[in-house]
Amino acid sequence: MKNKSTNIISIISINTLRQVLLSVFNMVIPFMVVQHLSKEIWGEFVSLLLYSLLVTQIINWGNKEYLLRKFSETPSTIKVDFSSILLTRFPLVLLFSLVGFFFFGIESGCYLTIWILGRFLIHSYEVLVVYEKKFNVSSIIELCCFLIFVILFYSLSSAINLEKLLIVYSFYQLNKGICYLLFFKDTFSLNTSFNFTYYKNSIWFLLLSIFGFLASKIDVYIIEQFDNKTATSDYQIINGLLVFIMSISTFIYTPFTKNIYRNSYFTIEKTKKVLAVIGLIIVPISLLFVYGILHYFLNLKLTIWFYFVAFLYVFPSYVYGIEIISLFKQHKEKRVVLFLFIGTICNWMLSFMLLKVHFGIIENLIGGAIAQLVIMFLFKSKKII
């Protein structure tokens, strides 16, 4: 029993370290750009970032969530299922690359294609990283590719601009994707074919991914539309920090997703309560670090009211995170999508109205916080569920 508990803690720790590395790298890049260039350049880059983030949700088409359940139910067909779905989703990469040419022009569109292809490969192989628990390998890939990015970024320091930033960042994504492809090369089966029924079978996982993403990101899209590059830069960084704190809950339970699918109702209920208690400890401590980062690196002096709203924005994810997996187990993806859709609409309406009344960071965050509380209520309400 002791060895089992030690193994569980070890797996959680390794995956948490990996996810922290990923998040830290994603958060460090904006600070590199802001400190070395300007908030305005990062604000312009955010437009490209937001496009790629939304496109990534679509080209994934619920890949990770669908395959984790599929692998857990029929582990004997992992190689065939993975290869078929990878091939089936690839045309989406080509489609949204063409859309990128239309919105951003030929040159930027070319680099966006490289960026999107990289993200496609990274997210495709994430399901194998999680299922096979290859967290150490993933950490090494992420670390090495990030170091290459940093070297390239600073080697071009005297001449770097928005265009060169796009080039370096796009190849950074592609390098990671190729590394995952090479490591998991034996998982791909050449004897595979398109499976277009996948689009229908996994449509609810796609909608889940999109609305889950927008529920925590649509406020960034809204503030970007107001065309204030400095405010967009600040808020995107703040959103990234808060979403990272939200993600810590998933770092804890993601390695055991396949176990959650097999555990009893009472075990899952106990896990939900433990995760909520952990959130009450982690969130306030994490917000202290956010205060230090915003104060010393972005020179943002925000009131205590902002951090109270930030707590309400972050904590609900610790309450409803495992509820989502539990509903997946019962094949109730539609219910999850409905709840996240309602949260997304709340976030969009409230953030837009509050920004119209008074343009500011806290006004945008209030809309997101209320939306997260609504989502938590929907998942926990016995009357609805």
Side-chain angles (χ1 to χ4, degrees):
M1 186 70 180
K2 183 178 179 181
N3 289 336
K4 183 178 179 181
S5 299
T6 303
N7 186 48
I8 290 174
I9 293 172
S10 175
I11 292 172
I12 291 176
S13 300
I14 294 170
N15 185 54
T16 300
L17 176 61
R18 178 183 78 101
Q19 296 285 9
V20 168
L21 278 176
L22 288 170
S23 300
V24 167
F25 294 160
N26 289 332
M27 290 185 292
V28 165
I29 291 171
F31 286 103
M32 287 170 58
V33 177
V34 169
Q35 294 293 317
H36 191 71
L37 302 174
S38 67
K39 287 185 178 181
E40 287 73 18
I41 287 181
W42 181 251
E44 291 179 35
F45 189 79
V46 166
S47 298
L48 297 165
L49 180 65
L50 292 177
Y51 174 77
S52 71
L53 288 174
L54 182 58
V55 166
T56 298
Q57 307 307 311
I58 299 173
I59 64 177
N60 283 343
W61 203 276
N63 169 69
K64 178 181 172 181
E65 292 77 13
Y66 177 85
L67 282 180
L68 277 174
R69 188 174 72 183
K70 184 76 172 174
F71 291 172
S72 298
E73 293 173 346
T74 55
S76 61
T77 61
I78 287 176
K79 191 172 182 178
V80 173
D81 290 334
F82 174 81
S83 303
S84 176
I85 291 174
L86 180 72
L87 182 64
T88 300
R89 292 186 297 111
F90 185 71
L92 293 174
V93 176
L94 302 178
L95 174 62
F96 284 98
S97 295
L98 291 175
V99 174
F101 285 114
F102 177 79
F103 282 110
F104 299 100
I106 301 297
E107 187 173 359
S108 294
C110 288
Y111 295 114
L112 270 174
T113 299
I114 294 171
W115 183 343
I116 291 169
L117 176 60
R119 297 308 300 173
F120 170 74
L121 293 172
I122 293 165
H123 284 274
S124 293
Y125 287 101
E126 174 69 10
V127 65
L128 295 176
V129 171
V130 173
Y131 190 80
E132 298 181 8
K133 296 183 173 62
K134 300 294 186 181
F135 304 128
N136 285 329
V137 173
S138 177
S139 298
I140 292 170
I141 290 173
E142 296 290 341
L143 178 59
C144 291
C145 290
F146 179 72
L147 290 176
I148 292 171
F149 168 80
V150 171
I151 292 169
L152 287 174
F153 179 86
Y154 285 110
S155 67
L156 297 171
S157 59
S158 60
I160 199 163
N161 53 24
L162 180 63
E163 180 185 349
K164 288 185 173 63
L165 176 61
L166 173 60
I167 295 171
V168 174
Y169 192 84
S170 297
F171 279 100
Y172 164 53
Q173 299 300 326
L174 183 61
N175 286 341
K176 289 198 292 181
I178 292 173
C179 288
Y180 283 109
L181 173 65
L182 293 174
F183 180 78
F184 288 106
K185 62 181 184 298
D186 294 335
T187 308
F188 188 79
S189 172
L190 294 175
N191 185 25
T192 190
S193 60
F194 287 95
N195 177 16
F196 290 111
T197 59
Y198 166 75
Y199 288 114
K200 178 183 177 182
N201 294 338
S202 61
I203 184 67
W204 291 106
F205 287 105
L206 165 68
L207 296 176
L208 164 72
S209 178
I210 290 175
F211 291 127
F213 168 75
L214 290 177
S216 62
K217 288 288 185 183
I218 198 168
D219 41 351
V220 183
Y221 283 87
I222 291 171
I223 203 167
E224 194 269 339
Q225 292 302 308
F226 281 77
D227 203 30
N228 184 322
K229 299 304 179 185
T230 300
T232 298
S233 174
D234 287 340
Y235 193 79
Q236 188 277 327
I237 293 173
I238 290 171
N239 176 267
L241 292 169
L242 297 182
V243 170
F244 166 68
I245 302 172
M246 295 168 72
S247 300
I248 293 175
S249 63
T250 65
F251 301 168
I252 296 171
Y253 67 74
T254 293
F256 306 100
T257 299
K258 66 179 181 182
N259 303 89
I260 294 173
Y261 278 121
R262 299 167 184 169
N263 283 339
S264 66
Y265 170 81
F266 296 104
T267 301
I268 293 173
E269 288 299 307
K270 182 180 178 180
T271 305
K272 291 175 187 175
K273 293 176 182 177
V274 170
L275 191 61
V277 172
I278 290 173
L280 288 174
I281 299 170
I282 289 177
V283 176
I285 294 174
S286 299
L287 288 176
L288 288 175
F289 284 99
V290 171
Y291 166 80
I293 292 169
L294 298 182
H295 184 79
Y296 293 105
F297 290 96
L298 290 185
N299 198 30
L300 286 176
K301 299 175 177 60
L302 302 170
T303 64
I304 190 66
W305 172 240
F306 165 83
Y307 293 97
F308 173 74
V309 175
F311 177 86
L312 298 180
Y313 186 94
V314 172
F315 178 70
S317 62
Y318 287 80
V319 177
Y320 68 73
I322 294 181
E323 296 280 2
I324 293 176
I325 305 297
S326 181
L327 288 173
F328 284 174
K329 178 182 178 181
Q330 303 169 56
H331 290 256
K332 294 181 179 179
E333 298 89 8
K334 295 180 182 179
R335 194 163 296 182
V336 178
V337 170
L338 174 62
F339 295 166
L340 293 177
F341 173 74
I342 292 171
T344 299
I345 295 300
C346 287
N347 194 347
W348 172 64
M349 293 178 63
L350 291 168
S351 296
F352 185 79
M353 287 189 296
L354 289 167
L355 281 173
K356 276 291 187 181
V357 173
H358 184 270
F359 187 86
I361 289 173
I362 195 167
E363 284 74 23
N364 213 29
L365 191 63
I366 288 173
I370 294 174
Q372 288 296 320
L373 291 171
V374 168
I375 293 171
M376 181 179 71
F377 169 78
L378 291 172
F379 276 111
K380 298 302 292 183
S381 174
K382 300 301 180 184
K383 293 181 180 179
I384 295 175
I385 296 177

